Amino acid sequence: MAGVSLSNIIKRYGAVQVVHGINLEVAEKEFVVLVGPSGCGKSTTLRMIAGLEEISEGDLLIDERRMNRVAPKDRDVAMVFQNYALYPHLNVADNMAFGLRIRRMPKDQIATTISETAAILGLTDYLERRPADLSGGQRQRVAMGRAIVRHPKVFLFDEPLSNLDAKLRTQMRAEIKRLHNRLGVTSVYVTHDQVEAMTLADRIVVMNDGRIEQVGTPMELFNNPVNTFVAGFLGSPPMNQMKGQLTETGARIGSAEIKISGAMNGDAGRDVIIGIRPEHVTLEPGAQTSVLPIELDLVEPLGSEALLHARFGDDNVMFKTETHGDLSHLSGVAEVHIPASRVKIFDAETGNALSLGG
């Protein structure tokens, strides 16, 4: 097992710089997920760790060894791709064994390794089948098996579930998490899907425009986003963000007075963005809640929960509530109640989170 260290990593394509001096420490046995919108630099960063992209500046260390000029085959990393990359003319066993044969591992040892890995992945009954005879989830398990048999120091996953349907993605997420818990291999996983990031990661790295916006555990980022980008990217639905001003007693959004936790410290009148997660509102008043009047547009049932699509002034807002098996009480909703402790305040100019005094 090994840790991965990225120090001031820069990537340029000619005169265009696409990764801007990122710093990241991945601890031994940690599962870190790089997440962000398309073009943010997450896959490029992963490919630099793998050795598939040259590092323009900075230092990459794996197991405390500098890897900038080390060939991919000598880095002791294994990569699982989005497109499986299986050999169509080889069966499952031969696909998984291909890299071991290249390394001239003894045949009996290869057979034992393939058998053990197939049992872990539930592929024992499919070892004689070719990729064309497998489902998408089975193919992805074969691709993972090919990586596992090498016993690498680091696993690299490049959006491995994006080709699967929703049900298979859910199943494979659980399988990947169980595999990591069982094998304990340092893993770096790239995805654009924030649900995958939240469910899989020990820590999440949120990237935007070639820079790291925030690093933390899933709940740290969900509860305490460092800026409006992270607040809007993590969470499904994302955080509601409305323009307002700080007041002597809290904050104001249009005509609504919002209670917040913390003192203004002389910031009354400051323009801010007020963030409210859809999950954090209630339909019933409480001791430390504020009323937000809304114009309900749509109730979207999700079974045990429902999404309320509404408007407040010029803002489109969305809230999540329990249905208790009945939607009838939601059709007349004209206001929601916001707990003061759940309100997040961001600077209107910079988008950075504000820390208000106690």
Side-chain angles (χ1 to χ4, degrees):
M1 309 308 162
V4 178
S5 174
L6 289 79
S7 178
N8 298 313
I9 295 292
I10 292 173
K11 176 61 182 177
R12 299 188 188 91
Y13 293 103
V16 179
Q17 187 166 313
V18 296
V19 175
H20 306 277
I22 65 173
N23 295 280
L24 179 65
E25 297 289 334
V26 181
E28 183 177 314
K29 298 185 180 182
E30 190 176 25
F31 197 116
V32 167
V33 176
L34 308 184
V35 67
S38 297
C40 71
K42 57 187 184 297
S43 289
T44 300
T45 300
L46 192 78
R47 291 172 64 84
M48 285 191 285
I49 297 173
L52 303 178
E53 293 281 358
E54 184 177 339
I55 297 171
S56 302
E57 289 185 31
D59 293 307
L60 168 69
L61 278 69
I62 298 177
D63 198 16
E64 300 184 350
R65 178 188 172 197
R66 191 172 186 270
M67 292 289 176
N68 290 47
R69 301 297 179 185
V70 176
K73 66 182 179 63
D74 298 323
R75 295 192 180 197
D76 202 6
V77 301
M79 195 162 181
V80 180
F81 296 93
Q82 174 182 346
N83 64 356
Y84 316 138
L86 302 177
Y87 297 107
H89 63 290
L90 299 180
N91 63 22
V92 168
D94 289 338
N95 264 285
M96 292 170 61
F98 188 84
L100 303 182
R101 293 193 176 114
I102 294 295
R103 290 169 173 77
R104 300 186 182 280
M105 179 183 285
K107 289 184 178 181
D108 57 342
Q109 191 174 343
I110 290 176
T112 299
T113 302
I114 296 303
S115 178
E116 292 173 350
T117 304
I120 291 172
L121 293 168
L123 292 172
T124 301
D125 295 336
Y126 303 95
L127 290 175
E128 299 303 319
R129 295 191 187 183
R130 293 188 178 183
D133 301 322
L134 303 175
S135 69
Q138 290 165 343
R139 292 178 197 177
Q140 192 56 274
R141 289 204 296 272
V142 176
M144 291 169 59
R146 185 177 52 196
I148 291 169
V149 296
R150 291 179 50 195
H151 300 294
K153 290 181 178 178
V154 181
F155 279 139
L156 304 177
F157 297 88
D158 189 10
E159 303 202 39
L161 308 184
S162 58
N163 285 342
L164 306 180
D165 61 38
K167 183 178 180 180
L168 271 177
R169 280 202 302 271
T170 301
Q171 293 174 351
M172 288 301 299
R173 279 203 310 266
E175 289 191 26
I176 289 173
K177 189 68 174 180
R178 281 194 289 267
L179 269 173
H180 177 73
N181 292 339
R182 181 170 181 173
L183 301 175
V185 179
T186 306
S187 300
V188 183
Y189 186 107
V190 161
T191 181
H192 64 275
D193 186 334
Q194 55 91 21
V195 175
E196 282 182 30
M198 292 289 290
T199 54
L200 286 172
D202 295 324
R203 286 191 302 151
I204 295 174
V205 179
V206 181
M207 296 187 66
N208 182 34
D209 194 25
R211 296 177 173 86
I212 292 176
E213 296 283 350
Q214 188 174 1
V215 181
T217 67
M219 294 314 298
E220 284 173 351
L221 270 60
F222 184 80
N223 289 323
N224 297 296
V226 73
N227 56 33
T228 52
F229 177 83
V230 177
F233 192 83
L234 286 182
S236 181
M239 180 181 283
N240 296 297
Q241 299 181 27
M242 295 173 280
K243 294 180 180 179
Q245 296 81 35
L246 294 178
T247 68
E248 293 292 345
T249 57
R252 180 184 297 112
I253 312 173
S255 60
E257 295 290 336
I258 305 297
K259 298 176 184 178
I260 62 176
S261 298
M264 297 307 101
N265 296 332
D267 282 338
R270 181 175 183 172
D271 289 333
V272 293
I273 302 295
I274 298 168
I276 304 164
R277 288 217 176 269
E279 300 87 351
H280 291 163
V281 303
T282 67
L283 299 184
E284 301 295 333
Q288 288 296 317
T289 62
S290 307
V291 176
L292 186 72
I294 60 172
E295 297 178 19
L296 187 63
D297 287 337
L298 173 68
V299 176
E300 188 177 357
L302 300 175
S304 62
E305 297 176 322
L307 295 181
L308 306 182
H309 298 258
R311 291 189 60 80
F312 173 75
D314 295 330
D315 293 306
N316 292 311
V317 291
M318 192 181 302
F319 304 107
K320 184 181 289 187
T321 184
E322 295 182 2
T323 64
H324 304 291
D326 181 16
L327 298 177
S328 61
H329 67 292
L330 299 178
S331 59
V333 171
E335 61 184 36
V336 294
H337 301 267
I338 304 166
S341 61
R342 297 295 196 173
V343 177
K344 302 299 177 186
I345 306 295
F346 305 91
D347 182 77
E349 183 176 349
T350 65
N352 293 331
L354 298 181
S355 178
L356 301 177

mmCIF file of all heavy atoms in Angstrom, residues 257-283:
data_model
loop_
_atom_site.group_PDB
_atom_site.id
_atom_site.type_symbol
_atom_site.label_atom_id
_atom_site.label_comp_id
_atom_site.label_asym_id
_atom_site.label_seq_id
_atom_site.Cartn_x
_atom_site.Cartn_y
_atom_site.Cartn_z
ATOM 1 N N GLU A 257 -37.569 38.192 6.501
ATOM 2 C CA GLU A 257 -36.514 38.300 7.510
ATOM 3 C C GLU A 257 -36.088 36.891 7.906
ATOM 4 O O GLU A 257 -36.914 36.065 8.295
ATOM 5 C CB GLU A 257 -37.019 39.071 8.729
ATOM 6 C CG GLU A 257 -37.361 40.527 8.461
ATOM 7 C CD GLU A 257 -36.127 41.377 8.202
ATOM 8 O OE1 GLU A 257 -35.030 40.985 8.656
ATOM 9 O OE2 GLU A 257 -36.249 42.414 7.530
ATOM 10 N N ILE A 258 -34.798 36.643 7.821
ATOM 11 C CA ILE A 258 -34.259 35.306 8.070
ATOM 12 C C ILE A 258 -33.366 35.328 9.303
ATOM 13 O O ILE A 258 -32.418 36.122 9.384
ATOM 14 C CB ILE A 258 -33.448 34.808 6.852
ATOM 15 C CG1 ILE A 258 -34.295 34.851 5.578
ATOM 16 C CG2 ILE A 258 -32.910 33.411 7.106
ATOM 17 C CD1 ILE A 258 -35.502 33.954 5.603
ATOM 18 N N LYS A 259 -33.665 34.462 10.253
ATOM 19 C CA LYS A 259 -32.801 34.307 11.421
ATOM 20 C C LYS A 259 -31.573 33.500 11.032
ATOM 21 O O LYS A 259 -31.665 32.537 10.270
ATOM 22 C CB LYS A 259 -33.545 33.576 12.540
ATOM 23 C CG LYS A 259 -34.781 34.289 13.069
ATOM 24 C CD LYS A 259 -35.482 33.415 14.096
ATOM 25 C CE LYS A 259 -36.774 34.066 14.579
ATOM 26 N NZ LYS A 259 -37.505 33.196 15.544
ATOM 27 N N ILE A 260 -30.413 33.898 11.558
ATOM 28 C CA ILE A 260 -29.193 33.144 11.322
ATOM 29 C C ILE A 260 -28.453 32.970 12.637
ATOM 30 O O ILE A 260 -28.667 33.713 13.593
ATOM 31 C CB ILE A 260 -28.277 33.821 10.269
ATOM 32 C CG1 ILE A 260 -27.829 35.199 10.754
ATOM 33 C CG2 ILE A 260 -28.977 33.929 8.932
ATOM 34 C CD1 ILE A 260 -26.858 35.876 9.802
ATOM 35 N N SER A 261 -27.586 31.978 12.679
ATOM 36 C CA SER A 261 -26.767 31.743 13.867
ATOM 37 C C SER A 261 -25.496 32.571 13.757
ATOM 38 O O SER A 261 -24.756 32.457 12.779
ATOM 39 C CB SER A 261 -26.417 30.260 13.996
ATOM 40 O OG SER A 261 -27.583 29.488 14.153
ATOM 41 N N GLY A 262 -25.236 33.427 14.754
ATOM 42 C CA GLY A 262 -24.030 34.239 14.733
ATOM 43 C C GLY A 262 -24.343 35.715 14.736
ATOM 44 O O GLY A 262 -25.463 36.141 14.436
ATOM 45 N N ALA A 263 -23.332 36.504 15.098
ATOM 46 C CA ALA A 263 -23.493 37.957 15.178
ATOM 47 C C ALA A 263 -22.965 38.623 13.913
ATOM 48 O O ALA A 263 -22.103 38.080 13.219
ATOM 49 C CB ALA A 263 -22.734 38.484 16.396
ATOM 50 N N MET A 264 -23.489 39.836 13.617
ATOM 51 C CA MET A 264 -23.134 40.516 12.373
ATOM 52 C C MET A 264 -21.757 41.154 12.414
ATOM 53 O O MET A 264 -21.122 41.343 11.381
ATOM 54 C CB MET A 264 -24.171 41.607 12.057
ATOM 55 C CG MET A 264 -25.588 41.082 11.811
ATOM 56 S SD MET A 264 -25.647 39.798 10.566
ATOM 57 C CE MET A 264 -25.770 38.341 11.578
ATOM 58 N N ASN A 265 -21.282 41.521 13.611
ATOM 59 C CA ASN A 265 -19.978 42.165 13.749
ATOM 60 C C ASN A 265 -19.836 43.393 12.847
ATOM 61 O O ASN A 265 -18.818 43.592 12.188
ATOM 62 C CB ASN A 265 -18.841 41.174 13.445
ATOM 63 C CG ASN A 265 -18.768 40.027 14.432
ATOM 64 O OD1 ASN A 265 -19.169 40.192 15.587
ATOM 65 N ND2 ASN A 265 -18.268 38.884 13.995
ATOM 66 N N GLY A 266 -20.892 44.216 12.805
ATOM 67 C CA GLY A 266 -20.834 45.445 12.016
ATOM 68 C C GLY A 266 -21.037 45.266 10.535
ATOM 69 O O GLY A 266 -20.799 46.197 9.767
ATOM 70 N N ASP A 267 -21.470 44.078 10.079
ATOM 71 C CA ASP A 267 -21.637 43.805 8.653
ATOM 72 C C ASP A 267 -23.048 44.071 8.153
ATOM 73 O O ASP A 267 -23.379 43.704 7.014
ATOM 74 C CB ASP A 267 -21.274 42.350 8.343
ATOM 75 C CG ASP A 267 -19.768 42.139 8.289
ATOM 76 O OD1 ASP A 267 -19.049 43.127 8.069
ATOM 77 O OD2 ASP A 267 -19.325 40.997 8.475
ATOM 78 N N ALA A 268 -23.903 44.675 8.956
ATOM 79 C CA ALA A 268 -25.274 44.942 8.524
ATOM 80 C C ALA A 268 -25.267 45.758 7.239
ATOM 81 O O ALA A 268 -24.506 46.722 7.090
ATOM 82 C CB ALA A 268 -26.037 45.679 9.616
ATOM 83 N N GLY A 269 -26.107 45.358 6.285
ATOM 84 C CA GLY A 269 -26.179 46.011 4.986
ATOM 85 C C GLY A 269 -25.303 45.373 3.926
ATOM 86 O O GLY A 269 -25.412 45.723 2.742
ATOM 87 N N ARG A 270 -24.468 44.431 4.317
ATOM 88 C CA ARG A 270 -23.569 43.771 3.360
ATOM 89 C C ARG A 270 -24.365 42.856 2.435
ATOM 90 O O ARG A 270 -25.229 42.101 2.874
ATOM 91 C CB ARG A 270 -22.532 42.955 4.124
ATOM 92 C CG ARG A 270 -21.521 42.223 3.253
ATOM 93 C CD ARG A 270 -20.484 41.548 4.130
ATOM 94 N NE ARG A 270 -19.443 40.877 3.375
ATOM 95 C CZ ARG A 270 -18.349 40.346 3.912
ATOM 96 N NH1 ARG A 270 -18.169 40.407 5.221
ATOM 97 N NH2 ARG A 270 -17.450 39.742 3.148
ATOM 98 N N ASP A 271 -24.066 42.932 1.131
ATOM 99 C CA ASP A 271 -24.725 42.053 0.164
ATOM 100 C C ASP A 271 -24.171 40.638 0.297
ATOM 101 O O ASP A 271 -22.945 40.431 0.316
ATOM 102 C CB ASP A 271 -24.500 42.561 -1.264
ATOM 103 C CG ASP A 271 -25.264 43.842 -1.550
ATOM 104 O OD1 ASP A 271 -26.310 44.067 -0.910
ATOM 105 O OD2 ASP A 271 -24.810 44.621 -2.412
ATOM 106 N N VAL A 272 -25.067 39.675 0.365
ATOM 107 C CA VAL A 272 -24.660 38.286 0.566
ATOM 108 C C VAL A 272 -25.514 37.364 -0.285
ATOM 109 O O VAL A 272 -26.529 37.769 -0.857
ATOM 110 C CB VAL A 272 -24.801 37.872 2.055
ATOM 111 C CG1 VAL A 272 -23.815 38.638 2.930
ATOM 112 C CG2 VAL A 272 -26.231 38.057 2.546
ATOM 113 N N ILE A 273 -25.071 36.124 -0.383
ATOM 114 C CA ILE A 273 -25.869 35.032 -0.931
ATOM 115 C C ILE A 273 -26.297 34.166 0.246
ATOM 116 O O ILE A 273 -25.455 33.733 1.048
ATOM 117 C CB ILE A 273 -25.073 34.193 -1.940
ATOM 118 C CG1 ILE A 273 -24.561 35.067 -3.095
ATOM 119 C CG2 ILE A 273 -25.925 33.036 -2.461
ATOM 120 C CD1 ILE A 273 -25.642 35.657 -3.957
ATOM 121 N N ILE A 274 -27.582 33.919 0.367
ATOM 122 C CA ILE A 274 -28.113 33.122 1.465
ATOM 123 C C ILE A 274 -28.407 31.728 0.934
ATOM 124 O O ILE A 274 -29.182 31.560 -0.009
ATOM 125 C CB ILE A 274 -29.373 33.782 2.053
ATOM 126 C CG1 ILE A 274 -28.999 35.154 2.622
ATOM 127 C CG2 ILE A 274 -30.005 32.895 3.129
ATOM 128 C CD1 ILE A 274 -30.171 36.024 2.961
ATOM 129 N N GLY A 275 -27.759 30.731 1.540
ATOM 130 C CA GLY A 275 -27.884 29.362 1.080
ATOM 131 C C GLY A 275 -28.756 28.534 2.006
ATOM 132 O O GLY A 275 -28.579 28.556 3.225
ATOM 133 N N ILE A 276 -29.689 27.797 1.415
ATOM 134 C CA ILE A 276 -30.593 26.931 2.177
ATOM 135 C C ILE A 276 -30.707 25.611 1.436
ATOM 136 O O ILE A 276 -31.159 25.568 0.287
ATOM 137 C CB ILE A 276 -31.992 27.561 2.321
ATOM 138 C CG1 ILE A 276 -31.900 28.955 2.959
ATOM 139 C CG2 ILE A 276 -32.905 26.650 3.145
ATOM 140 C CD1 ILE A 276 -33.159 29.778 2.781
ATOM 141 N N ARG A 277 -30.292 24.529 2.064
ATOM 142 C CA ARG A 277 -30.411 23.222 1.431
ATOM 143 C C ARG A 277 -31.871 22.773 1.425
ATOM 144 O O ARG A 277 -32.603 22.986 2.391
ATOM 145 C CB ARG A 277 -29.549 22.182 2.148
ATOM 146 C CG ARG A 277 -28.067 22.388 1.898
ATOM 147 C CD ARG A 277 -27.340 21.062 1.774
ATOM 148 N NE ARG A 277 -25.924 21.257 1.432
ATOM 149 C CZ ARG A 277 -25.456 21.306 0.203
ATOM 150 N NH1 ARG A 277 -26.271 21.186 -0.823
ATOM 151 N NH2 ARG A 277 -24.162 21.482 -0.029
ATOM 152 N N PRO A 278 -32.310 22.136 0.317
ATOM 153 C CA PRO A 278 -33.700 21.691 0.212
ATOM 154 C C PRO A 278 -34.137 20.782 1.360
ATOM 155 O O PRO A 278 -35.288 20.810 1.777
ATOM 156 C CB PRO A 278 -33.734 20.946 -1.126
ATOM 157 C CG PRO A 278 -32.645 21.567 -1.925
ATOM 158 C CD PRO A 278 -31.567 21.899 -0.938
ATOM 159 N N GLU A 279 -33.198 19.974 1.885
ATOM 160 C CA GLU A 279 -33.529 19.023 2.945
ATOM 161 C C GLU A 279 -33.727 19.695 4.298
ATOM 162 O O GLU A 279 -34.274 19.076 5.222
ATOM 163 C CB GLU A 279 -32.403 17.978 3.096
ATOM 164 C CG GLU A 279 -32.143 17.153 1.856
ATOM 165 C CD GLU A 279 -31.149 17.809 0.905
ATOM 166 O OE1 GLU A 279 -30.790 18.994 1.133
ATOM 167 O OE2 GLU A 279 -30.763 17.147 -0.071
ATOM 168 N N HIS A 280 -33.253 20.935 4.448
ATOM 169 C CA HIS A 280 -33.200 21.544 5.773
ATOM 170 C C HIS A 280 -34.430 22.378 6.131
ATOM 171 O O HIS A 280 -34.508 22.885 7.248
ATOM 172 C CB HIS A 280 -31.935 22.410 5.886
ATOM 173 C CG HIS A 280 -30.683 21.595 5.911
ATOM 174 N ND1 HIS A 280 -29.429 22.128 5.669
ATOM 175 C CD2 HIS A 280 -30.486 20.267 6.141
ATOM 176 C CE1 HIS A 280 -28.519 21.174 5.752
ATOM 177 N NE2 HIS A 280 -29.133 20.034 6.040
ATOM 178 N N VAL A 281 -35.348 22.555 5.216
ATOM 179 C CA VAL A 281 -36.563 23.313 5.539
ATOM 180 C C VAL A 281 -37.605 22.378 6.168
ATOM 181 O O VAL A 281 -37.517 21.153 6.051
ATOM 182 C CB VAL A 281 -37.166 23.991 4.300
ATOM 183 C CG1 VAL A 281 -36.155 24.915 3.638
ATOM 184 C CG2 VAL A 281 -37.692 22.961 3.312
ATOM 185 N N THR A 282 -38.557 22.962 6.851
ATOM 186 C CA THR A 282 -39.679 22.210 7.405
ATOM 187 C C THR A 282 -40.973 22.896 6.987
ATOM 188 O O THR A 282 -40.972 24.065 6.564
ATOM 189 C CB THR A 282 -39.613 22.143 8.938
ATOM 190 O OG1 THR A 282 -39.826 23.461 9.470
ATOM 191 C CG2 THR A 282 -38.268 21.617 9.407
ATOM 192 N N LEU A 283 -42.060 22.173 7.098
ATOM 193 C CA LEU A 283 -43.368 22.775 6.819
ATOM 194 C C LEU A 283 -44.044 23.261 8.095
ATOM 195 O O LEU A 283 -45.111 23.884 8.035
ATOM 196 C CB LEU A 283 -44.278 21.753 6.110
ATOM 197 C CG LEU A 283 -43.772 21.239 4.766
ATOM 198 C CD1 LEU A 283 -44.811 20.322 4.126
ATOM 199 C CD2 LEU A 283 -43.419 22.382 3.828
#
